């Protein structure tokens, strides 16, 4: 922390983050990073730490957004308001909370003073982080107000938020454009970025299956819900009454009391589309990465033709 040039407040924040440990999803993402970038990774632990900090900071922010989405809604427009994003509390301290902006500033000091990145790379990485925040928050404003959407719209939100995030992670962890000196290195970096992005989207698809009922009630966009709406298959009870400017039509869908045991019977077309999307995302991944992802998939993925 002294090497990074942290002040007393920042030291306390970093210590609290270190002691509390990272979110489970952050650990999964770091594992996925390792799987994807093994061919070009030089084994720099300082880069790995910066990568983990970046992942966990924004996973924490995303968790706060998902659980308290109503606090980010502009009452006049019904859309997401991200103007106070930097002030969002995401880490509990002894007497208060550390904000997203505070943790991001610590990350910038870690990148600038770690001696693992050149001055030019540091500027590029900071641009990537700011670009990710701008693109992802704009995407949330454009999509997150919807109550009725398709898989393509849910996927668009994922690509627009996760895509810039994986670009940043690739630069933090393993490579940057400045380090690519040949067509072979460029191809390796491109393949690593693509594999990592596909791993993250595949993981999110499975996560969306386990969270689809809660996301429906909280009005969080979810890929599995997008598939269900495409096929007009049943949605759970607990619909929040829509505002006048929202495009929800309750009569479009059968509403029933959701039961985990009946999902395969009530959502056959959704299950088929989930399998096809999962296969398209994972079919070109290394076997180790596929094996890791397959440990988390629902049991029905092992039926028929996908996993045997």
């Amino acid at each position: 922390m002294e090497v990074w040039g942290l002040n007393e407040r920042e030291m306390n924040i970093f210590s609290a983050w270190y002691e509390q440990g990272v979110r489970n999803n952050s650990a999964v993402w770091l594992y996925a990073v390792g799987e994807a970038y093994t061919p070009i990774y030089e084994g720099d632990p300082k880069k790995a730490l910066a990568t983990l900090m970046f992942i966990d900071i924004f996973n924490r922010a995303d968790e706060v957004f998902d659980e308290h989405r109503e606090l980010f809604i502009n009452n006049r427009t019904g859309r997401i308001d991200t103007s106070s994003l930097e002030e969002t509390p995401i880490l509990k301290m002894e007497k208060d909370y550390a904000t997203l902006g505070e943790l991001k500033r610590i990350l910038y000091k870690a990148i600038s003073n770690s001696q693992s990145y050149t001055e030019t790379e540091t500027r590029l990485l900071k641009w990537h982080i700011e670009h990710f925040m701008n693109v992802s928050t704009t995407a949330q404003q454009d999509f997150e107000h919807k109550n009725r959407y398709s898989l393509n719209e849910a996927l668009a939100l994922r690509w627009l938020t996760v895509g810039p995030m994986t670009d940043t992670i690739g630069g933090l962890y393993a490579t940057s454009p400045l380090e690519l000196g040949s067509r072979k290195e460029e191809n390796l970096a491109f393949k690593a970025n693509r594999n990592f992005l596909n791993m993250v989207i595949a993981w999110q698809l499975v996560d969306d299956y386990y969270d689809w009922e809660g996301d429906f009630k909280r009005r969080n966009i979810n890929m599995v819900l997008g598939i269900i709406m495409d096929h007009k298959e049943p949605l759970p009870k607990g619909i929040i009454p829509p505002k006048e400017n929202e495009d929800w039509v309750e009569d479009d869908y059968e509403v029933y009391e959701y039961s985990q045991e009946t999902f395969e019977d009530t959502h056959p077309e959704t299950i088929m589309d989930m399998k096809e999307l999962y296969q398209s995302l994972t079919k070109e991944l290394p076997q180790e990465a596929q094996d890791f992802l397959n440990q988390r998939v629902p049991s029905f993925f092992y039926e028929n033709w996908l996993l045997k």
Side-chain angles (χ1 to χ4, degrees), residues 55 61 84 110 117-118 122 147 214 254 265:
I55 293 170
S84 61
Y117 308 100
T118 67
T122 297
N147 282 321
E254 175 189 355
D265 297 325

Side-chain angles (χ1 to χ4, degrees), residues 64-258:
V64 171
F65 176 81
D66 283 349
E67 292 183 358
H68 304 284
R69 186 174 180 271
E70 69 281 359
L71 300 179
F72 295 88
I73 300 294
N74 183 307
N75 292 328
R76 183 178 61 82
T77 65
R79 292 175 178 259
I80 301 298
D81 181 0
T82 58
S83 60
S84 61
L85 188 63
E86 295 267 340
E87 288 73 48
T88 302
I90 63 172
L91 177 69
K92 183 172 176 55
M93 304 281 288
E94 185 176 347
K95 297 181 179 180
D96 59 355
Y97 285 84
T99 66
L100 169 62
E102 287 180 309
L103 281 156
K104 190 180 74 170
R105 285 190 287 275
I106 293 173
L107 173 62
Y108 282 172
K109 288 187 176 183
I111 294 170
S112 300
N113 300 324
S114 68
Q115 299 182 342
S116 291
Y117 308 100
T118 67
E119 185 176 339
T120 304
E121 287 170 334
T122 297
R123 288 198 300 270
L124 180 64
L125 288 169
K126 289 180 179 179
W127 178 88
H128 269 296
I129 293 170
E130 296 299 328
H131 174 69
F132 153 68
M133 291 184 64
N134 290 335
V135 171
S136 61
T137 52
T138 299
Q140 286 173 332
Q141 290 167 337
D142 289 342
F143 288 93
E144 289 281 4
H145 67 287
K146 293 178 176 289
N147 282 321
R148 182 179 175 188
Y149 50 87
S150 66
L151 170 62
N152 285 340
E153 289 175 300
L155 269 174
L157 176 62
R158 291 288 176 252
W159 293 123
L160 287 169
T161 53
V162 177
M165 190 173 187
T166 56
D167 287 343
T168 305
I169 289 169
L172 283 166
Y173 186 80
T175 186
S176 77
L178 298 176
E179 295 173 326
L180 302 179
S182 69
R183 179 61 59 86
K184 180 180 179 180
E185 289 173 328
E186 288 179 358
N187 288 338
L188 284 172
F190 175 80
K191 185 175 181 180
N193 283 336
R194 184 183 61 191
N195 284 346
F196 178 53
L197 179 57
N198 285 343
M199 283 184 73
V200 170
I201 297 293
W203 179 271
Q204 187 62 56
L205 174 66
V206 176
D207 223 34
D208 281 358
Y209 166 72
Y210 291 121
D211 292 341
W212 76 275
E213 185 183 25
D215 282 342
F216 177 75
K217 291 179 179 178
R218 292 189 296 266
R219 294 187 175 190
N220 294 324
I221 286 190
N222 177 303
M223 287 183 284
V224 174
L225 279 169
I227 299 173
I228 292 172
M229 292 181 188
D230 281 344
H231 294 295
K232 290 183 167 57
E233 291 187 325
L235 291 166
K237 288 182 179 179
I239 296 176
I240 303 170
K243 295 184 174 67
E244 290 182 2
N245 63 340
E246 292 176 334
D247 57 359
W248 180 262
V249 182
E250 182 176 343
D251 291 340
D252 281 354
Y253 306 105
E254 175 189 355
V255 179
Y256 79 118
E257 189 64 43
Y258 166 64

Side-chain angles (χ1 to χ4, degrees), residues 6-29:
L6 304 186
N7 60 37
E8 184 176 356
R9 166 74 177 173
E10 291 167 340
M11 286 186 179
N12 290 335
I13 291 173
F14 182 82
S15 295
W17 175 75
Y18 180 82
E19 290 168 4
Q20 291 178 29
V22 299
R23 291 291 185 269
N24 180 58
N25 268 4
S26 302
V28 170
W29 277 49

